[in-house]
């Protein structure tokens, strides 16, 4: 399993696929599938049966997972960048490869 450079809470932009150009915050990372769930991106409709939690049932829109290779991290300036790791003293930190600033 490879190390994922996108973490929960990061702001990312979709760089490939149907939702190219969309931006959102990472809600969850699925390491075993190399996918992430991004807020407001890749919305799907799920048909739900009436239950105790949702007595009405019906059609619910929710975010579906998107592969991490289709995501690029956004810096504080709003530009996309690749992520690298470097040692800062005794700590391993993520940094932007475009601007060389610590994320």
């Amino acid at each position: 399993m490879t190390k994922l450079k996108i973490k929960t809470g990061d702001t990312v932009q979709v760089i490939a696929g149907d939702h190219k150009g969309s931006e959102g915050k990472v809600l969850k990372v699925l390491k075993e599938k190399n996918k992430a769930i991004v807020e407001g991106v890749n919305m799907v409709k799920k048909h739900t049966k009436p239950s105790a939690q949702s007595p009405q049932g019906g059609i619910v829109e929710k975010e579906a997972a998107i592969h991490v290779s289709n995501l690029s991290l956004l810096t504080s300036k709003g530009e996309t960048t690749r992520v690298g790791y470097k040692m800062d003293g005794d700590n391993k930190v993520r940094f932007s490869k475009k601007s060389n600033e610590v994320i």
Side-chain angles (χ1 to χ4, degrees), residues 38-51:
V38 182
E39 185 176 36
V41 177
N42 201 15
M43 300 295 286
V44 295
K45 294 185 184 222
K46 182 166 175 60
H47 297 261
T48 58
K49 214 172 161 180
S51 66

Side-chain angles (χ1 to χ4, degrees), residues 32-90:
E32 59 279 351
K33 293 184 178 180
N34 284 342
K35 293 186 176 195
I37 297 175
V38 182
E39 185 176 36
V41 177
N42 201 15
M43 300 295 286
V44 295
K45 294 185 184 222
K46 182 166 175 60
H47 297 261
T48 58
K49 214 172 161 180
S51 66
Q53 291 178 341
S54 61
Q56 186 69 26
I59 300 171
V60 177
E61 281 203 34
K62 61 181 269 184
E63 292 96 353
I66 186 166
H67 201 273
V68 292
S69 66
N70 296 334
L71 300 175
S72 182
L73 189 72
L74 285 175
T75 61
S76 56
K77 298 174 188 171
E79 57 185 12
T80 60
T81 184
R82 292 181 298 144
V83 178
Y85 286 92
K86 65 181 177 182
M87 295 302 289
D88 185 26
D90 290 337

